Amino acid sequence: MFVFLLTDIFFYIIIFSIGLYIFYVRKTKDILETWKHVFKSRTGIISIVVLSFFLLIAILDSIHIKEKIYNEQTESFSYESEIKSVLDIILLPTYKNYEKSYSSPFSSNLYSKETIILENNIERRVYPKLLYKGNHNKYASDNTVNILLTFIISLLKYFFVFLIFYLFFYFRIIFKRKNNIFTPFKLNKVFLMTLSIIVILSIFLYELSLQYYVLGTDKVGVDVLYKSIKSIRTGILIGTLTTIVMLPFAIFLGIFAGYIGGFVDDVIQYIYTTLNSIPSVLLIASAILMLQVYMANNPLNFENIYERADLRLFFLCMILGLTSWTGLCRLLRGESMKLREVEYVQASKTFGLNRFSIIVRHIMPNIMHIVIITIVLDFSALVLAEAVLSYVNIGVDPTTYSWGNMINAARLEMSKEPIVWWSLFSAFTFMFILVLFANLFSDVVRDAFDPRSNKNYE
Amino acid sequence: MSKLLEVKNLYLSIESENENKILKDINFSINSSEILSLIGESGSGKSLTALSIIRLLEKNCRIKKGKIIFNDTDLLSLEEQNMRLIRKNDISMIFQEPMRSLNPVMSIYDQLLEAHEKDSRKKIKRKIIENLISVGIDDASRVIDLFPHQLSGGMKQRVMIAMAIACKPKLLIADEPTTSLDVTIQKQVLDLLLELRNELNMSILFITHDLAVASQISDNIVVMKEGMVVENSESKKFFENPKSLYSKTLLASSSYNRKNNFTNSLKNNSVLKVNNLKVYFKEKKSFIARNQDYKKAVDDISISIDAGATHAIVGESGSGKTTIAKAIMGLTEVTDGDIRILDKDILKMEGKEKLNFRKNYQMIFQDPFSSLNPRMRVGSIIKEGLSFLKPYMNTEETNECLKNVIENVGLEESSLYKYPHQFSGGQRQRIAIARVLVLDPKLLICDEPTSSLDVTVQKQVLDLLNEIQTKNQISYLFISHDINLVASISDTLSVMYQGKIVESGKTSDIINNTSNDYTKKLLSSVPQIL
């Protein structure tokens, strides 16, 4: 049975609106030309491929399912209380078993010594062997050789996948009577390269995860790699959902303040200067604390912990959105003020257009580039903000997988002797990759959309 | 006379995908204490030529070939530090926009300080004051403490000139120094340049698009077109007998003559009647002041235009011409007075009645680059007025209308599906005309419709407006700063100065024998081709 969590629904809406935007862009020639600039640049293509991969993981992780189980005692079907996502089902072989506690990447033993009793009642302090992974090399007993062989096998698997796709395209081409074997290779080389690297890496990591804990395990023995992958959804959700919350405020209030001016402008300006002068951490902390009180008082409103955690995540997005619209609002106010005096707006006034039509027809299309630039730029800042907030315990629920929570846990792990570094390392690496490519992408988008750097819009 | 500057076979290209050459084989020379005018339309490469002399080109410009010899040294082969010395001592430049060339956060004194040699404070101050007096700023000791925004455009340009001549250069490059100034101030600046030439014995490379200005000031003329020198001759010879075809069309376009003359067939049939119009803007009231101060942008003005006639309003910037247009179009609030169009008081109309009536009077704006929404196709730009002011038209009728009107203004039907940035300035202005023409107005307000266009294009647009007038019997209210142009196209004329009409009447009467001092001054300031 499909389960729709609150954030899932909003995430679908976001995906749907991205789809709508793509559809709209394909029909609008000048915006299409601008986006083509993004696709022409190498950085643009690479970052789009990487980001789409992250997005794909987030989407797979947002389709939630409850499994049907047969209860033998009552002889009836019922649903499991646990909610799984499609991603969980795909990754199931790699994470289904838990170890006892910490173990370092690729090791075959736990990280700390334990007392075990041998057959002849002799007690010994040893590093116990891991139960499920680390001691189950598939291809060779030596670890290095085994990893190498795994890599070669994942390469072979990749070529197999590639061949299938190639043949698929090839037959489609034959079917259309454009008989050229090399047509599939005429696709953009950068695109193909990036995609290949990602696919090879994921196959390789998957194969490795069946045999090792690639990034070790955490305090309760969960695979850290799995945790980091699950955190992708949280990061992306916070980056996008917050934007959706803040956009209406920023766009409408910004345009009203700038275009209508006068009293309306004064009121809106007062609101955002006031909001801006309250430290946003304070607002977020109080909102989250209020929510916690509500959840503690009304435990019956929630079917399970997933819903509780989900509500908290949703609430965090809301409050982040409510505190972050002021910057964009101010930008849009300035731009609308400028546009108000531009002659094409004056000309349409002489045609007797009302305010609403002028805003929709003339102001909105001409401020959209600012909106797009800001959305893309803000995304990475919000992913980082989540980490910071979770670190000070006012972010997402502790049961939610998130990089912030991993970093928060790492605070204690870092003070252990010997040091447990891999949680922090993997959270850092994943966040770094996402934020880096988001930033690269935003750079390209800004270059393409900024009228000052693009001659089309002079 | 010895040659001060010689440009030999200069080729320049801008690095891009299709390395096209922007300047091709430029040759000319300037003797000492001579004024040479570079004439050409926008995009002809005048400014690039000047910038390559002083070597301030953008990074993506590459000089491919050629020599620029200044005082027997080739500027192009000089080290950057030696070139800096030349810029400091021998060659100066003034730019078109005095507002943008001065740093707004520095006082005039501080800016001029940069241009002068290091010396003791007192001496420098004295030098700067002398410097300012030499460019005709009499109260120099007061001006040096002011900031750029406190000065008028003409004063700013004088300060720029003062900066440029502070080092007593041998060559002054002036890139359209008077284009953004009013005619009366333009005359002062031109006189100043001539005076300085004689005083300091310097040569001037004067870049302009205005033939009349060039004829006033220059000894030699170089005409450029599309990066090539079309003609290079003495000023007198050039204006008497231009050799190349392009120069001939340039000369022909610079003096415009209307073909048809207004025949007063429909008497006493006034389309627009403005009576005692007043537009006051509230000024910021100070905390303790009791009375509200007003800026009288338009003060007690009356105009009347007959059907099919052209009435022109001429005046300097800030005289309130555009405010009248805006008041009529309802873009600004009217303080007092009434405006009657086709005998109906439009100020008293409201709601639907006004919306229905709006199609009778429309406006063309000055800048065709900002009057068309860059994100709309030409078709929908033109359609906008129709869909709001003639909502009863169905799709077929609308499309038919669009086709007709776009052909009427001399553009192809395929233009309807293009975006404004795919057109040149003149074509854009045609689109702007089509946009209002489609509504079939009785009165058209043209707010400097040609002042941002090149002369040859200007002529085409004026021809088009003329043709439309004869065909559709539209009345024009033509607003311009150019009394020369207005003289040739209007039937009646009002001269405005500081919100008031100082003189009004038949154009020919005013131009030929005016009694008003201001009009006289305006007429005498206008540069004429000698």
Side-chain angles (χ1 to χ4, degrees):
Chain A
M1 186 180 73
F2 284 102
V3 180
F4 296 103
L5 297 175
L6 199 53
T7 48
D8 288 345
I9 296 167
F10 276 89
F11 196 56
Y12 299 153
I13 293 174
I14 291 168
I15 302 295
F16 182 67
S17 36
I18 292 176
L20 270 187
Y21 181 72
I22 292 173
F23 181 71
Y24 166 73
V25 167
R26 287 181 68 116
K27 290 186 89 181
T28 324
K29 209 178 133 213
D30 63 327
I31 305 181
L32 186 67
E33 285 299 314
T34 323
W35 274 108
K36 273 185 187 163
H37 277 281
V38 176
F39 283 95
K40 264 180 205 161
S41 90
R42 216 176 271 177
T43 335
I45 295 171
I46 294 174
S47 45
I48 282 172
V49 174
V50 175
L51 288 179
S52 323
F53 183 68
F54 273 93
L55 196 66
L56 181 73
I57 291 177
I59 292 172
L60 288 179
D61 205 7
S62 294
I63 306 171
H64 285 103
I65 297 171
K66 266 186 188 174
E67 266 177 49
K68 233 180 203 178
I69 41 169
Y70 183 67
N71 192 329
E72 281 172 6
Q73 283 176 341
T74 56
E75 295 190 343
S76 63
F77 287 100
S78 65
Y79 291 105
E80 268 187 339
S81 62
E82 198 184 359
I83 298 176
K84 279 180 182 164
S85 72
V86 175
L87 184 76
D88 290 334
I89 294 167
I90 295 171
L91 296 180
L92 189 65
T94 68
Y95 81 98
K96 62 185 169 195
N97 298 313
Y98 290 50
E99 295 296 335
K100 219 169 167 187
S101 182
Y102 293 117
S103 71
S104 59
F106 289 109
S107 93
S108 53
N109 301 81
L110 282 179
Y111 201 55
S112 49
K113 277 186 176 172
E114 269 181 29
T115 311
I116 55 164
I117 303 163
L118 295 178
E119 290 155 17
N120 39 5
N121 272 349
I122 306 168
E123 290 188 359
R124 269 243 183 109
R125 296 280 294 168
V126 290
Y127 294 107
K129 286 205 161 186
L130 292 178
L131 297 173
Y132 305 102
K133 292 183 194 172
N135 303 309
H136 301 75
N137 290 6
K138 265 190 193 168
Y139 309 104
S141 53
D142 185 61
N143 268 356
T144 331
V145 179
N146 187 39
I147 291 170
L148 249 169
L149 281 175
T150 316
F151 182 66
I152 291 168
I153 283 173
S154 26
L155 264 186
L156 289 177
K157 281 188 177 173
Y158 161 73
F159 281 120
F160 183 66
V161 172
F162 184 80
L163 202 71
I164 291 173
F165 272 94
Y166 176 75
L167 285 177
F168 173 70
F169 280 112
Y170 180 61
F171 281 115
R172 253 184 59 173
I173 289 154
I174 285 183
F175 190 67
K176 286 182 179 170
R177 290 181 191 177
K178 282 180 195 161
N179 207 345
N180 187 349
I181 299 176
F182 295 105
T183 317
F185 290 105
K186 279 181 185 165
L187 270 170
N188 191 306
K189 283 199 183 67
V190 184
F191 172 75
L192 277 183
M193 289 280 279
T194 325
L195 195 64
S196 304
I197 290 173
I198 289 177
V199 173
I200 291 172
L201 256 181
S202 5
I203 295 175
F204 183 47
L205 275 179
Y206 185 81
E207 289 285 322
L208 275 182
S209 290
L210 292 175
Q211 308 168 52
Y212 300 100
Y213 294 108
V214 178
L215 288 169
T217 55
D218 70 352
K219 196 175 178 181
V220 289
V222 180
D223 192 345
V224 172
L225 179 64
Y226 170 72
K227 274 175 83 177
S228 312
I229 290 175
K230 287 287 279 184
S231 303
I232 291 174
R233 173 176 183 264
T234 317
I236 287 192
L237 211 62
I238 286 191
T240 47
L241 201 58
T242 308
T243 319
I244 294 290
V245 175
M246 115 195 167
L247 270 191
F249 287 101
I251 294 182
F252 290 112
L253 294 183
I255 291 178
F256 285 155
Y259 184 73
I260 296 171
F263 179 67
V264 180
D265 186 21
D266 286 345
V267 171
I268 292 171
Q269 265 198 75
Y270 279 127
I271 292 175
Y272 73 59
T273 15
T274 315
L275 204 58
N276 241 4
S277 33
I278 305 172
S280 56
V281 174
L282 211 71
L283 272 182
I284 294 165
S286 56
I288 293 291
L289 288 177
M290 262 159 57
L291 183 74
Q292 275 179 330
V293 172
Y294 169 77
M295 290 198 296
N297 289 342
N298 305 286
L300 293 178
N301 287 2
F302 306 98
E303 246 179 55
N304 47 38
I305 53 163
Y306 298 100
E307 277 187 16
R308 280 173 65 114
D310 188 67
L311 184 69
R312 187 158 160 180
L313 176 61
F314 180 71
F315 213 71
L316 182 69
C317 294
M318 287 288 158
I319 193 73
L320 269 175
L322 283 178
T323 52
S324 63
W325 58 269
T326 50
L328 179 60
C329 183
R330 187 177 302 171
L331 276 180
L332 294 184
R333 171 178 170 266
E335 191 69 14
S336 326
M337 273 174 115
K338 208 175 82 192
L339 287 176
R340 184 177 63 182
E341 302 302 325
V342 168
E343 285 178 343
Y344 57 80
V345 173
Q346 302 274 320
S348 54
K349 272 189 198 163
T350 66
F351 291 140
L353 264 73
N354 51 28
R355 277 177 183 169
F356 179 73
S357 314
I358 291 180
I359 287 175
V360 172
R361 296 170 66 96
H362 296 291
I363 308 276
M364 287 269 244
N366 282 295
I367 57 166
M368 265 328 192
H369 64 278
I370 299 183
V371 175
I372 286 173
I373 292 167
T374 318
I375 289 178
V376 187
L377 272 177
D378 274 3
F379 175 78
S380 49
L382 287 166
V383 174
L384 295 175
E386 186 273 327
V388 173
L389 291 176
S390 299
Y391 181 74
V392 290
N393 264 328
I394 53 170
V396 293
D397 194 83
T399 59
T400 312
Y401 292 113
S402 92
W403 294 315
N405 277 341
M406 286 168 77
I407 293 169
N408 191 17
R411 190 171 43 155
L412 296 175
E413 293 166 359
M414 298 294 280
S415 59
K416 274 188 192 312
E417 180 61 41
I419 192 171
V420 176
W421 50 268
W422 45 87
S423 265
L424 184 73
F425 171 78
S426 51
F428 169 78
T429 314
F430 272 76
M431 208 155 70
F432 175 72
I433 293 174
L434 179 61
V435 172
L436 175 72
F437 283 102
N439 278 342
L440 288 176
F441 180 60
S442 65
D443 254 8
V444 181
V445 170
R446 194 184 43 206
D447 279 352
F449 276 85
D450 201 335
R452 271 163 296 187
S453 59
N454 186 353
K455 280 183 181 132
N456 283 348
Y457 289 94
E458 267 173 10
Chain B
M1 274 194 285
S2 62
K3 275 178 188 167
L4 179 71
L5 177 86
E6 201 176 358
V7 177
K8 276 185 183 168
N9 314 351
L10 185 70
Y11 284 84
L12 181 140
S13 63
I14 290 181
E15 267 180 20
S16 61
E17 283 160 25
N18 49 340
E19 288 256 327
N20 47 343
K21 292 210 166 61
I22 302 296
L23 296 182
K24 283 161 252 171
D25 200 12
I26 304 288
N27 285 298
F28 62 85
S29 62
I30 306 176
N31 297 330
S32 51
S33 74
E34 178 187 80
I35 299 182
L36 178 115
S37 285
L38 261 185
I39 299 178
E41 302 193 338
S42 53
S44 60
K46 318 176 291 259
S47 292
L48 274 178
T49 312
L51 288 174
S52 35
I53 292 170
I54 201 164
R55 273 187 39 194
L56 288 176
L57 287 166
E58 301 255 334
K59 267 184 189 160
N60 57 352
C61 297
R62 289 270 177 283
I63 290 174
K64 289 283 162 191
K65 231 163 87 180
K67 277 179 179 169
I68 295 174
I69 294 166
F70 177 79
N71 262 352
D72 300 328
T73 46
D74 186 4
L75 294 184
L76 295 180
S77 60
L78 273 186
E79 296 281 320
E80 183 55 34
Q81 59 199 52
N82 295 335
M83 189 63 215
R84 218 174 292 150
L85 278 180
I86 294 230
R87 280 188 216 123
K88 189 180 170 194
N89 297 324
D90 299 324
I91 305 180
S92 297
M93 185 156 180
I94 44 178
F95 298 91
Q96 178 172 354
E97 280 281 346
M99 340 288 180
R100 284 193 213 163
S101 326
L102 291 173
N103 186 341
V105 296
M106 281 165 80
S107 71
I108 302 302
Y109 176 80
D110 287 337
Q111 313 220 10
L112 281 165
L113 201 61
E114 288 179 348
H116 284 262
E117 291 272 338
K118 279 210 173 88
D119 210 334
S120 74
R121 267 189 74 93
K122 267 192 177 172
K123 272 188 189 167
I124 279 202
K125 192 162 182 181
R126 209 178 56 227
K127 267 190 191 167
I128 288 176
I129 290 177
E130 277 170 14
N131 188 204
L132 283 176
I133 290 174
S134 72
V135 294
I137 298 177
D138 295 330
D139 51 348
S141 49
R142 186 181 67 90
V143 168
I144 55 172
D145 293 326
L146 298 180
F147 285 86
H149 68 269
Q150 293 168 300
L151 300 177
S152 66
M155 285 287 252
K156 277 182 215 164
Q157 197 59 289
R158 279 165 198 267
V159 172
M160 278 305 297
I161 295 172
M163 272 174 90
I165 62 163
C167 59
K168 306 220 161 32
K170 296 193 183 73
L171 174 67
L172 178 69
I173 300 175
D175 189 357
E176 308 242 13
T178 57
T179 309
S180 58
L181 303 177
D182 281 324
V183 268
T184 47
I185 297 162
Q186 166 171 300
K187 185 162 192 298
Q188 293 165 9
V189 171
L190 292 180
D191 288 345
L192 174 70
L193 283 177
L194 280 171
E195 210 175 280
L196 288 172
R197 188 264 302 255
N198 296 334
E199 224 169 83
L200 303 173
N201 233 359
M202 68 179 176
S203 316
I204 299 178
L205 175 63
F206 195 89
I207 298 170
T208 185
H209 66 276
D210 192 335
L211 284 173
V213 169
S215 83
Q216 295 262 315
I217 193 168
S218 51
D219 305 313
N220 283 320
I221 299 252
V222 170
V223 181
M224 285 183 73
K225 189 198 176 192
E226 290 165 7
M228 283 188 288
V229 172
V230 184
E231 187 160 350
N232 185 351
S233 65
E234 260 178 55
S235 182
K236 258 191 189 168
K237 279 186 193 160
F238 174 80
F239 287 104
E240 276 163 14
N241 183 20
K243 280 177 214 141
S244 73
L245 196 70
Y246 179 68
S247 313
K248 276 176 194 159
T249 47
L250 261 187
L251 267 176
S253 339
S254 65
S255 59
Y256 183 76
N257 279 313
R258 189 156 70 146
K259 283 163 213 137
N260 64 319
N261 257 320
F262 174 60
T263 44
N264 212 347
S265 54
L266 305 150
K267 266 189 182 171
N268 296 328
N269 188 2
S270 82
V271 170
L272 172 76
K273 226 176 163 69
V274 176
N275 287 327
N276 304 81
L277 180 73
K278 288 175 189 161
V279 181
Y280 294 172
F281 294 121
K282 274 183 192 170
E283 272 180 4
K284 276 241 166 94
K285 207 160 117 180
S286 82
F287 186 58
I288 31 174
R290 260 189 221 153
N291 300 328
Q292 174 79 53
D293 283 335
Y294 292 98
K295 186 183 183 297
K296 298 179 178 179
V298 171
D299 197 7
D300 203 7
I301 273 184
S302 306
I303 304 169
S304 134
I305 307 177
D306 292 339
T310 302
H311 181 84
I313 299 179
V314 78
E316 298 184 345
S317 57
S319 59
K321 327 181 281 285
T322 303
T323 314
I324 295 181
K326 283 191 168 174
I328 296 171
M329 291 315 297
L331 296 174
T332 184
E333 256 176 53
V334 172
T335 315
D336 196 22
D338 59 35
I339 301 169
R340 295 180 153 270
I341 291 173
L342 299 172
D343 267 342
K344 281 187 181 147
D345 192 341
I346 57 164
L347 293 179
K348 294 212 173 92
M349 274 192 219
E350 259 170 24
K352 257 206 156 157
E353 192 193 359
K354 184 157 189 176
L355 197 64
N356 282 332
F357 194 71
R358 260 184 185 280
K359 58 175 175 281
N360 290 320
Y361 58 104
Q362 282 300 325
M363 177 161 172
I364 300 171
F365 291 84
Q366 175 174 1
D367 185 2
F369 286 88
S370 63
S371 65
L372 306 175
N373 187 344
R375 305 218 176 233
M376 279 166 85
R377 282 173 207 276
V378 170
S380 31
I381 288 173
I382 300 176
K383 209 156 61 186
E384 185 167 56
L386 273 185
S387 59
F388 277 83
L389 298 181
K390 291 187 174 177
Y392 46 82
M393 274 183 149
N394 61 27
T395 327
E396 272 172 36
E397 277 175 341
T398 315
N399 288 341
E400 192 61 29
C401 242
L402 291 186
K403 261 187 220 169
N404 285 337
V405 82
I406 203 83
E407 273 162 23
N408 276 345
V409 296
L411 292 173
E412 283 168 32
E413 200 191 314
S414 62
S415 315
L416 289 174
Y417 308 103
K418 290 182 183 165
Y419 285 93
H421 69 80
Q422 291 168 289
F423 295 93
S424 69
Q427 287 171 323
R428 281 172 184 230
Q429 200 58 295
R430 283 169 194 269
I431 295 168
I433 292 171
R435 170 168 68 178
V436 291
L437 200 63
V438 79
L439 296 169
D440 202 11
K442 299 283 171 292
L443 169 71
L444 201 51
I445 300 173
C446 309
D447 185 5
E448 310 238 16
T450 57
S451 62
S452 59
L453 304 174
D454 284 323
V455 267
T456 46
V457 183
Q458 225 172 56
K459 185 169 187 281
Q460 293 164 8
V461 170
L462 289 173
D463 279 339
L464 176 67
L465 283 174
N466 225 327
E467 198 186 300
I468 292 166
Q469 186 167 41
T470 19
K471 220 196 245 170
N472 303 9
Q473 283 291 308
I474 303 176
S475 311
Y476 287 152
L477 177 62
F478 199 96
I479 293 169
S480 177
H481 66 278
D482 189 347
I483 201 166
N484 247 352
L485 173 73
V486 156
S488 60
I489 62 163
S490 67
D491 306 303
T492 50
L493 175 69
S494 300
V495 182
M496 271 190 91
Y497 182 63
Q498 293 186 347
K500 288 192 168 132
I501 289 184
V502 293
E503 196 173 9
S504 190
K506 272 199 170 175
T507 308
S508 50
D509 294 348
I510 293 183
I511 300 291
N512 295 332
N513 42 11
T514 173
S515 53
N516 187 285
D517 285 341
Y518 179 70
T519 316
K520 273 182 192 161
K521 189 177 157 206
L522 206 60
L523 278 168
S524 67
S525 310
V526 172
Q528 300 282 353
I529 292 178
L530 297 174

